């Protein structure tokens, strides 16, 4: 019989290819391409330019100079020091977009004016003393006017290039006001812009900007040049490109990296030329760009423990520990690398790179002509790869055996990957060949799966429907817990000894499920055929008695769900679903937790029960049950070493249960008391693991909603943390039960959670911040005499400084807590990975301080 077209392998392969092409621009596939790109960058080896040096505003500088931001007099002093040392140009990444007003400046100016206008100033016999007072007031005015001091230093040095942030967007109409003249003088001359329709038929332009944050006039006018500073995030949030030219309402402005590279070559803005959608020329250098004038930056790998660039501490330079002559004829970049100062960037070689270091990579890429390009034929190569894979899946793979097909698939996959690798590492070319590789793998798996479903399973089905089909089906249904259907199949068998043995075991299964009335019916059926079969008389009488006894789920229990009545050897061990109950581990707010075992695979599990029917009204019960299984399914898909694994969920006799990984150790509740606090480094390690687990779950849009010490398990022997009870708070979102019990823990809730707003991953990170505060201080950050007072404090009042409670607490721990407990979600950690990375950095700082 001829196979239908829609079942044929070539047709299935065609459908797979078309579906894949439809999703080829999805974030998932494009992220895989970027991961391969990052691997190519990490595998490429080139030497960074030695003309670049970095002066870092690091943790050491802040610890010695004082809290950030510093007085601009400090920057003026640094500029003058570097200029005296012979620096060719200074790239300042600190933004001066707002005046720095010293509170005493206005007072001194008013005092000076009052004095000059008073009669005291005209007394001739005290002229010398009056002159000294005027000089003192003028000196104080100059000292306190840090903006003026910085501007004067920049005018004297004449080599400071400022960074000016632009806001990406498609402009509509004209700007509210023109950029200041001191900014406009940095735009590219019209004669330096080549926009040939022949080479640019699609009319590409550099990235459009809708807003710019100019430096204040006093400082901007004193700068040698001002360059654009724009961070363009890729689909996965990483930084891989540098916009060398941006378009602000028709005027093109070069980037600060491009201007600094020009200064290194003794060139000016007039020496920068751009061919739109093709390249940027800087003197004799040609930097290939994409259609929007972006350069794919080369990120230089560190040499062992040494950075690719020369990096010195701001404090060491200003104190003279590092001689200024070290920077002779160099481009010196000044910027923040300190923990908690500014945002870090995700790059191919570092998930938390400071902006000043990113800028150094861009400047070096320009000077060394080290950059990656996506050749014009890249899209054709990608399309050819997809076509080759599609033809292979449609025409060749269906004709091969399993082993041969596997070998050819592996060969093609390796060929794509090796080609991508060689082009990246030797030619600096990026060709997107991961999408053909993904199509190859997905198509191979789906076709082999389809083959199995239509052949192997077809044979199995024919075997089941042959001789003794009722016996086999009955056993299968019994194994799946469908005992009633299994009994129907077994009753069709001849009532010989082997059949009665099957039915007797079925009665034991009914006992395990506490369905004693049905067990008695089965025993009566056996008795009708053999009244002396084994011990059916005793078991029949016991089943009758047990049917009249309240077991699990009784309303008279002392805890929701009652207490499981364990056997004394006279009946089979109780079952929940397919799990055999061994013993009770403890009781919670809505049910008990039992130690269970899956008899088929001997897996030991912990079973959490919830008597939903006792705690929720009938009109809410169905909705809560649906939510229970939906959340259990979502949590069950999470696979992370710091999240408890969920194996199964079900309900039986209105008792819902979740079977999960059985954990050793205990929760963290006993470590939040002042006399039992763990060392700070150990607390940070536990919180870091928790943040990793939460961050992973948030990546799948799964929010815990009830992060607290009781839901974090820790095994000191393995030092592994596990987050438990994912989704339980969401399951009971309605939030009041029949007994009036409010679910959730208000002390750990975020402001948005208390306000009933939409809860996302940042809410869990707020709760984790509360935990961190409590585990390093021994008390909660927010307490109140009543629920209303507590909720008000969480929503409106700032938490106390952790160092005021624990003076020995390292500064970086307070920084992490302060960011985690921000009321404004945007200022809070956005991902668990961000928080975990900051904790890792804090642990390194603590380790370094302990060694010092």
């Amino acid at each position: 019989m001829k196979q239908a077209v829609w079942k044929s392998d070539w047709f299935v392969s065609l459908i797979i290819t078309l579906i894949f092409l439809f999703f080829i621009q999805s974030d998932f596939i494009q992220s895989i391409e970027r991961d391969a790109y990052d691997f190519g960058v990490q595998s490429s080896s080139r030497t960074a330019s030695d003309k670049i040096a970095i002066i870092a505003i690091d943790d050491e500088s802040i610890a010695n100079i004082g809290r950030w931001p510093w007085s601009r007099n400090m920057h003026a002093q640094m500029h003058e020091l570097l200029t005296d040392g012979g620096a060719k140009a200074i790239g300042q990444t600190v933004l001066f977009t707002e005046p720095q007003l010293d509170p005493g400046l206005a007072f001194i100016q008013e005092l000076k004016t009052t004095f000059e206008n008073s009669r005291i100033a005209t007394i001739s016999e005290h002229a010398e003393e009056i002159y000294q007072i005027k000089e003192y007031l003028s000196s104080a005015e100059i000292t306190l006017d840090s903006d003026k001091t910085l501007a004067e230093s920049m005018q004297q040095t004449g080599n400071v290039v400022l960074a000016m942030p632009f806001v990406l967007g498609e402009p509509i109409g004209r700007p509210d006001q023109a950029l200041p003249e001191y900014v406009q003088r940095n735009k590219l001359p019209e004669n330096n812009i080549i926009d040939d329709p022949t080479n640019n038929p699609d009319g590409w332009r550099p990235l459009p900007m809708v807003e710019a944050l100019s430096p204040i006039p006093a400082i901007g006018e004193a700068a040698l040049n001002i360059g654009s500073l724009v961070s363009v995030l890729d689909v996965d949030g990483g930084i891989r490109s540098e916009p060398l030219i941006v378009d602000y309402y028709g005027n093109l402005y070069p980037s600060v990296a491009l201007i600094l590279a020009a200064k290194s070559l003794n060139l000016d803005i007039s020496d920068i030329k751009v061919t739109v959608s093709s390249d940027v020329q800087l003197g004799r250098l040609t930097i290939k760009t994409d259609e929007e004038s972006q350069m794919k930056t080369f990120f230089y790998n560190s040499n062992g423990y040494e950075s690719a660039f020369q990096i010195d501490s701001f404090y060491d330079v200003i104190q003279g520990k590092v001689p200024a002559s070290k920077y002779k004829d160099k481009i010196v970049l000044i910027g923040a690398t300190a923990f908690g100062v500014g945002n870090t960037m995700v790059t191919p070689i570092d998930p938390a790179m400071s902006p000043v270091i990113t800028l150094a990579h861009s400047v070096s890429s320009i000077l060394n002509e080290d950059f990656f390009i996506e050749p014009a034929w890249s899209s054709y190569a990608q399309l050819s790869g997809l076509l080759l894979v599609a033809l292979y899946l449609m025409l060749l793979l269906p004709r091969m055996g399993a082993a041969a097909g596997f070998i050819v698939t592996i060969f093609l996959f390796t060929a794509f990957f090796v080609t991508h690798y060689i082009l990246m590492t030797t030619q600096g070319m990026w060709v997107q060949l991961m999408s053909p590789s993904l199509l190859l793998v997905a198509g191979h798996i789906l076709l082999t799966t389809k083959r199995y479903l239509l052949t192997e399973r077809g044979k199995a089905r024919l075997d089941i429907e042959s001789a003794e089909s009722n016996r086999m089906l009955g056993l299968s249904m019994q194994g799946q817990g469908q005992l009633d259907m299994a009994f129907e199949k077994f009753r069709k068998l001849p009532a010989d000894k082997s059949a009665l043995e099957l039915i007797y075991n079925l009665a034991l299964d009914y006992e395990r499920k506490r369905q004693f009335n049905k067990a008695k019916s089965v025993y009566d059926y056996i008795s009708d055929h053999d009244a002396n079969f084994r011990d059916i008389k005793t078991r029949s009488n016991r089943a009758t008695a047990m049917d009249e006894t309240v077991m699990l789920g009784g309303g008279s229990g002392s805890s929701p769900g009652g207490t499981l009545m364990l056997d004394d050897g006279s009946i089979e061990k109780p079952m929940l679903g397919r799990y055999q109950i061994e013993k009770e581990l403890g009781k919670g707010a809505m049910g008990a937790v039992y130690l269970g075992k899956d008899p088929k695979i001997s897996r030991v599990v912990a079973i959490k029960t919830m008597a939903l029917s006792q705690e929720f009204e009938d009109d809410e019960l169905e909705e809560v049950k649906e939510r229970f299984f939906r959340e259990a399914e979502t949590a069950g898909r999470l696979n992370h070493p710091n999240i408890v694994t969920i194996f199964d969920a079900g309900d039986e006799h209105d008792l819902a249960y979740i079977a999960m990984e059985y954990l050793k150790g205990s929760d963290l509740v006993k470590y939040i008391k002042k006399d039992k606090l763990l060392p700070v480094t150990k607390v940070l390690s536990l919180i870091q693991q928790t943040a990793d687990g939460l961050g992973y779950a948030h990546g799948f849009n799964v929010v815990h909603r009830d992060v607290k010490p009781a839901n974090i398990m820790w095994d000191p022997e393995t030092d592994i943390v596990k987050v438990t009870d994912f989704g339980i708070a969401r399951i009971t979102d309605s939030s009041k039960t029949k007994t009036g019990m409010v679910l959730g823990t208000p002390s750990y809730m975020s402001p948005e959670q208390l306000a009933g707003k939409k809860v996302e991953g940042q809410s869990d990170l707020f709760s984790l911040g509360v935990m961190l505060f409590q585990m390093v201080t021994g008390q909660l950050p927010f307490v109140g005499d009543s629920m209303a007072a507590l909720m008000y404090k969480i929503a409106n009042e700032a938490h106390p400084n952790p160092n005021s409670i624990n003076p020995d607490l390292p500064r970086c721990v307070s920084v992490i807590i302060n960011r985690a407990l921000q009321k404004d979600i945007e200022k809070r950690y956005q991902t668990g990975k961000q928080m975990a990375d900051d904790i890792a950095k804090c642990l390194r700082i603590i380790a370094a301080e302990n060694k010092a």
Side-chain angles (χ1 to χ4, degrees):
M1 183 176 177
K2 190 175 181 180
Q3 188 181 36
V5 172
W6 63 273
K7 290 185 178 180
S8 62
D9 287 341
W10 73 265
F11 185 80
V12 173
S13 299
L14 177 61
I15 296 301
I16 293 172
T17 303
L18 293 176
I19 293 174
F20 187 87
L21 290 175
F22 181 80
F23 288 103
I24 197 169
Q25 293 301 323
S26 67
D27 287 352
F28 172 75
I29 295 178
Q30 292 303 311
S31 293
I32 297 296
E33 292 283 7
R34 270 62 183 177
D35 289 340
Y37 175 92
D38 292 349
F39 178 77
V41 175
Q42 295 163 13
S43 302
S44 302
S45 178
R46 300 185 191 179
T47 304
S49 173
D50 59 0
K51 297 180 181 180
I52 302 167
I54 299 173
I55 295 181
I57 301 171
D58 56 5
D59 291 295
E60 178 190 359
S61 300
I62 292 177
N64 287 280
I65 296 175
R67 286 182 57 186
W68 183 262
W70 299 329
S71 169
R72 289 174 182 172
N73 295 334
M74 190 64 63
H75 295 286
Q77 185 180 347
M78 177 61 76
H79 294 166
E80 293 168 1
L81 187 65
L82 292 174
T83 303
D84 292 342
K88 180 166 286 188
I90 301 171
Q92 183 61 269
T93 65
V94 177
L95 305 180
F96 304 112
T97 56
E98 294 182 359
Q100 189 176 69
L101 300 176
D102 191 289
L105 178 60
F107 177 78
I108 289 293
Q109 290 174 339
E110 183 179 350
L111 180 61
K112 180 182 176 184
T113 302
T114 302
F115 180 78
E116 290 176 345
N117 295 333
S118 69
R119 289 183 297 172
I120 298 175
T122 62
I123 300 175
S124 58
E125 56 267 26
H126 299 290
E128 181 64 26
E129 296 176 0
I130 291 170
Y131 175 77
Q132 291 178 357
I133 293 174
K134 288 182 178 180
E135 285 296 305
Y136 179 80
L137 291 174
S138 298
S139 175
E141 181 181 17
I142 292 171
T143 302
L144 293 175
D145 194 348
S146 58
D147 287 344
K148 185 177 180 180
T149 302
L150 177 58
E152 289 175 351
S153 76
M154 291 169 59
Q155 287 176 338
Q156 292 173 5
T157 58
N159 63 350
V160 179
V161 177
L162 297 181
M164 183 172 73
F166 279 82
V167 178
L168 183 67
E170 194 66 42
I172 300 175
R174 296 188 177 90
D176 293 336
Q177 57 185 19
L179 292 177
E181 186 278 330
Y182 56 83
V183 174
Q184 292 193 40
R185 68 184 180 217
N186 295 279
K187 67 183 179 182
L188 286 181
E190 290 293 334
N191 295 336
N192 290 19
I193 303 170
I194 303 171
D195 190 3
D196 187 355
T198 304
N199 297 327
N200 186 20
D202 296 326
W204 287 98
R205 294 282 292 172
L207 283 175
M209 303 292 151
V210 295
E211 189 177 349
L213 302 178
S214 307
I216 63 173
I219 295 176
E221 290 173 355
L224 174 63
N225 289 110
I226 301 174
S228 66
L229 185 66
V230 181
S231 298
V232 181
L233 300 183
D234 220 328
V235 293
D236 59 352
I239 298 287
R240 297 179 179 86
S241 299
E242 169 77 15
L244 297 182
I245 307 292
V246 299
D247 184 348
Y248 183 77
Y249 291 92
N251 292 321
L252 303 189
Y253 289 87
S255 71
V256 66
L258 189 57
I259 293 176
L260 288 169
K263 297 304 174 187
S264 179
L265 301 173
N266 300 312
L267 301 176
D268 207 340
I269 291 179
S270 60
D271 298 303
I272 299 173
K273 297 182 180 180
V274 56
T275 302
V276 178
S277 83
S278 175
D279 55 61
V280 172
Q281 296 87 42
L282 182 62
R284 294 183 180 180
L285 298 182
T286 299
I287 303 98
K288 294 295 295 182
T289 63
D290 63 11
E291 298 88 346
E292 296 175 316
S293 297
Q294 296 188 79
M295 172 190 71
K296 286 185 169 55
T297 305
F298 187 96
F299 288 90
Y300 302 87
N301 288 294
S302 301
N303 182 15
Y305 293 100
E306 295 183 4
S307 171
F309 297 96
Q310 172 186 321
I311 303 178
D312 295 313
S313 171
F314 191 103
Y315 178 73
D316 289 343
V317 178
I318 210 75
Q319 289 294 312
K321 296 179 182 179
V322 177
S325 58
K326 180 180 180 180
Y327 307 105
K328 182 175 177 59
D329 296 328
K330 291 184 182 292
I331 298 294
V332 183
L333 307 179
I334 302 175
T337 64
F339 183 70
V341 179
N343 292 322
T344 56
M345 299 176 176
V346 178
T347 66
I349 64 170
D350 189 348
M353 182 178 287
S354 299
V356 67
I357 300 178
T358 307
L359 177 61
H361 285 279
S362 297
V363 176
S364 181
S365 294
I366 296 171
L367 291 176
N368 291 355
E369 292 186 283
D370 292 336
F371 43 79
F372 293 98
I373 63 171
E374 194 169 359
W377 47 266
S378 173
S379 58
Y380 298 108
Q382 182 186 25
L383 185 61
S384 299
L386 291 169
L387 180 60
L388 173 65
V389 171
L391 292 175
Y392 166 69
L393 295 176
M394 293 171 63
L395 304 178
L396 193 57
L397 182 60
R399 301 172 184 273
M400 293 182 173
F406 179 78
I407 292 172
V408 173
T409 297
I410 292 296
F411 173 79
L412 288 175
F413 181 86
T414 304
F416 283 129
F417 186 83
V418 170
T419 301
H420 174 276
Y421 180 83
I422 292 175
L423 288 175
M424 285 281 290
T425 56
T426 63
Q427 304 300 316
M429 292 183 181
W430 180 39
V431 180
Q432 299 188 33
L433 295 179
M434 291 303 101
S435 47
S437 303
L438 286 174
L439 175 60
L440 176 66
V441 173
H444 184 98
I445 293 174
L446 291 173
L447 280 179
T448 52
T449 302
K450 176 248 181 188
R451 243 188 230 180
Y452 172 78
L453 292 175
L454 294 184
T455 56
E456 302 300 327
R457 288 208 175 166
K459 292 178 183 178
R461 192 161 49 246
L462 290 174
D463 292 340
I464 291 174
E465 292 174 354
S466 62
E468 296 189 341
S469 60
N470 286 326
R471 180 189 296 268
M472 301 303 295
L473 283 173
L475 289 171
S476 174
M477 292 170 181
Q478 182 180 1
Q480 296 172 18
Q482 302 176 25
L483 304 186
D484 292 342
M485 297 181 66
F487 190 32
E488 286 296 320
K489 295 296 180 182
F490 289 154
R491 284 196 297 184
K492 295 179 181 179
L493 298 175
D496 56 15
K497 187 175 182 180
S498 62
L500 294 181
E501 283 288 348
L502 292 176
I503 297 172
Y504 180 87
N505 289 331
L506 183 67
L508 298 182
D509 278 354
Y510 275 124
E511 280 189 10
R512 294 186 185 101
K513 289 182 174 291
R514 302 172 308 283
Q515 299 178 11
F516 297 102
N517 57 335
K518 292 185 178 181
K520 184 180 184 308
S521 299
V522 175
Y523 289 135
D524 290 343
Y525 176 84
I526 297 173
S527 180
D528 291 341
H529 293 85
D530 185 351
N532 297 317
F533 186 83
R534 297 183 66 168
D535 59 347
I536 59 167
K537 290 183 179 179
T538 303
R539 288 197 171 273
S540 179
N541 293 334
R542 187 179 297 114
T544 301
M546 297 303 293
D547 188 36
E548 300 170 358
T549 303
V550 176
M551 297 292 288
L552 194 59
S556 60
S558 60
S559 68
T563 300
L564 181 63
M565 184 180 293
L566 297 175
D567 70 286
D568 58 0
S570 62
I571 62 172
E572 294 300 310
K573 285 188 176 181
M575 302 284 288
L576 266 178
R578 68 172 187 268
Y579 300 98
Q580 191 175 66
I581 304 301
E582 300 291 339
K583 65 178 180 178
E584 182 177 289
L585 297 175
K587 295 178 182 178
M590 293 188 63
V593 181
Y594 300 101
L595 177 67
K597 182 179 180 181
D598 188 340
K600 291 188 176 180
I601 58 175
S602 297
R603 174 191 281 157
V604 177
V605 297
I607 302 176
K608 186 181 186 73
T609 62
M610 299 178 69
L612 299 179
S613 61
Q614 294 183 32
E615 292 299 331
F616 293 90
E617 299 293 344
D618 293 339
D619 57 345
E620 284 189 295
L621 183 59
E622 286 303 314
E623 179 186 350
V624 171
K625 277 190 176 182
E626 290 179 9
R627 200 182 303 146
F628 174 89
F629 288 110
R630 185 166 62 250
E631 292 296 324
E633 178 187 359
T634 301
R637 290 200 296 267
L638 301 179
N639 182 17
H640 190 274
N642 299 120
I643 297 177
V644 66
T645 303
I646 292 179
F647 301 122
D648 194 10
D651 66 333
E652 199 168 77
H653 300 295
D654 292 330
L655 183 72
Y657 67 89
I658 298 176
M660 63 187 72
E661 176 184 6
Y662 175 65
L663 301 176
K664 295 182 180 180
S666 64
D667 60 37
L668 298 180
V669 171
K670 63 182 178 183
Y671 301 112
I672 62 178
K673 298 177 181 178
K674 279 197 173 183
D675 58 340
K676 292 189 178 180
L677 296 182
L678 296 170
V680 171
T681 53
K682 176 57 66 179
V683 173
L684 290 175
S685 175
L686 301 181
I687 297 297
Q688 182 184 22
Q689 293 184 58
T690 307
D692 276 332
L694 291 174
Y696 170 86
H698 297 162
F700 290 89
N701 295 321
V702 179
V703 182
H704 191 288
R705 297 171 177 266
D706 195 19
V707 175
K708 58 184 179 181
N711 287 335
I712 311 297
M713 297 290 293
W714 175 46
D715 183 3
E717 292 185 5
T718 61
D719 198 30
I720 294 177
V721 165
K722 296 276 187 177
V723 184
T724 66
D725 280 4
F726 259 94
I728 296 299
R730 177 64 179 268
I731 291 166
T732 54
D733 228 10
S734 54
S735 238
K736 248 198 185 181
T737 64
K738 281 182 184 177
T739 57
M741 177 180 60
V742 177
L743 298 167
T745 313
S747 294
Y748 298 89
M749 287 186 180
S750 64
E752 62 270 22
Q753 192 172 4
L754 289 173
K757 297 180 181 178
K758 182 180 179 182
V759 173
E760 297 182 339
Q762 295 91 334
S763 176
D764 285 350
L765 300 182
F766 182 97
S767 302
L768 190 58
V770 175
M771 267 187 59
L772 176 56
F773 186 105
Q774 190 176 22
M775 292 184 72
V776 297
T777 64
Q779 67 182 56
L780 287 165
F782 306 102
V783 292
D785 297 330
S786 64
M787 181 75 73
L790 174 62
M791 293 171 66
Y792 178 85
K793 286 187 177 182
I794 293 175
N796 298 284
E797 293 186 7
H799 61 278
N801 186 345
N803 290 97
S804 65
I805 304 170
N806 183 356
D808 297 328
L809 198 62
R811 173 182 172 272
C812 60
V813 178
S814 296
V815 172
I816 293 170
I817 291 173
N818 292 342
R819 187 170 179 184
L821 296 184
Q822 287 286 340
K823 311 290 186 189
D824 186 350
I825 297 178
E826 298 300 322
K827 295 180 180 179
R828 206 180 298 162
Y829 284 110
Q830 298 301 297
T831 65
K833 187 177 185 304
Q834 285 183 355
M835 188 170 181
D837 288 345
D838 277 3
I839 293 173
K841 188 180 293 185
C842 183
L843 286 169
R844 291 196 295 271
I845 293 171
I846 295 173
E849 291 176 349
N850 290 338
K851 289 181 181 178

